[in-house]
Amino acid sequence: MEQSLLGLSGKVALVTGGAAGIGRGCAMMLARAGCNIAIADLDKKGAEKTAREIHGMARRSAAVEVDVRKPESIAKMLEETVKALGRLDICINNVGGLTGHRPTAFLDATPAFFEDVINNNLRATYWCCHAEAKSFIARGVGGSIINISSLAGIRAVQGLSPYGAAKAGIINLTQNLALELAPYGIRVNAIAPATTGTEKMTERMAKGDFKAVEEANPMKRLASPEDMGGAAVYLASALASYVTGHTIVVDGGVSLTTPRPAP
Ligand SMILES: NC(=O)c1ccc[n+]([C@@H]2O[C@H](COP(=O)([O-])OP(=O)(O)OC[C@H]3O[C@@H](n4cnc5c(N)ncnc54)[C@H](O)[C@@H]3O)[C@@H](O)[C@H]2O)c1
């Protein structure tokens, strides 16, 4: 596709949790579409490695250390990005997940399970959006914010109650912010991935689980991080200039199926 149609050439995209997994997939696809990229991650070495790869694609890049659970760290991340790359147009709020917890039945849930998962997903996304919107407005520019939700935020998954609630919260937050920020030229959208074959997920899943997830999907494969990157490129691009408040489900059609009971 012509880069001019996307309107992304020379734009700067910031990806939280961009060192690995879905964040890295989004960063790579946005770089291919013409963006310069800031990789913001708790893992500084990982961020530097991904930033170097992007530099190798003839794009400008920066690695920024951040802990998105801390508002002061988010503010510093935005300052460092604008300083290093000269502008900021697109923010992908991607950090999230189970924060080291195992899926846990609701009746066995602990305060730590609930609080860690809500903090790293809903709370972090809320305050990232807040600081990003303020940064766009202070610089007198519009922008595009893309939040990473999950299919688990749309339909229930056994053992993931705080995660599902946080991801559903992100979908609603996306709608509210789209409404409030449209007058400033800021679009806010979300992506809801199904199970994605990230490095970590592939490592964690037993071979049998992997096959079962692939088999249950109408497309007979797991999503790739680049599948999510494709949706991010669309939402960030000029092609989506009238699209705001939406969540794109990227799931190979699995949400159209009825979960089968265990045999
Ligand atoms: N992988 C999946 O199957 C899947 C499915 C649906 C939704 N998601 C969502 O996609 C997003 C990315 O998931 P993933 O599987 O690619 O994750 P991942 O664990 O592979 O990568 C997460 C990245 O975030 C960084 N990170 C973690 N905590 C951080 C913090 N507090 N501050 C800054 N950086 C931090 C990590 O260092 C890592 O580089 C999450 O929001 C997750 O909930 C993932």
Side-chain angles (χ1 to χ4, degrees), residues 41-174:
D41 208 289
L42 199 55
D43 171 8
K44 179 86 194 292
K45 282 216 169 92
E48 284 167 350
K49 184 166 175 279
T50 304
R52 271 198 304 276
E53 282 177 62
I54 288 165
H55 194 68
M57 297 162 75
R59 300 279 179 252
R60 292 176 66 204
S61 65
V64 181
E65 192 171 2
V66 69
D67 183 345
V68 293
R69 291 166 298 189
K70 300 180 178 157
E72 64 280 9
S73 183
I74 296 171
K76 202 162 146 263
M77 161 184 85
L78 296 175
E79 269 170 37
E80 281 182 30
T81 299
V82 176
K83 196 167 164 212
L85 298 175
R87 55 189 289 166
L88 176 59
D89 308 279
I90 298 148
C91 298
I92 315 280
N93 297 317
N94 161 75
V95 169
L98 286 186
T99 66
H101 292 276
R102 299 291 308 157
T104 304
F106 172 64
L107 294 177
D108 298 327
T110 60
F113 180 46
F114 178 80
E115 271 147 37
D116 291 350
V117 173
I118 295 290
N119 278 345
N120 217 37
N121 289 273
L122 182 57
R123 190 171 178 275
T125 302
Y126 189 97
W127 291 113
C128 279
C129 288
H130 192 266
E132 290 155 4
K134 291 228 171 202
S135 166
F136 287 136
I137 293 166
R139 285 179 290 115
V141 298
S144 171
I145 295 177
I146 299 167
N147 296 322
I148 305 300
S149 176
S150 170
L151 198 54
I154 295 172
R155 50 188 232 178
V157 180
Q158 199 76 39
L160 295 188
S161 56
Y163 181 73
K167 293 302 198 184
I170 288 174
I171 292 171
N172 185 274
L173 175 68
T174 298

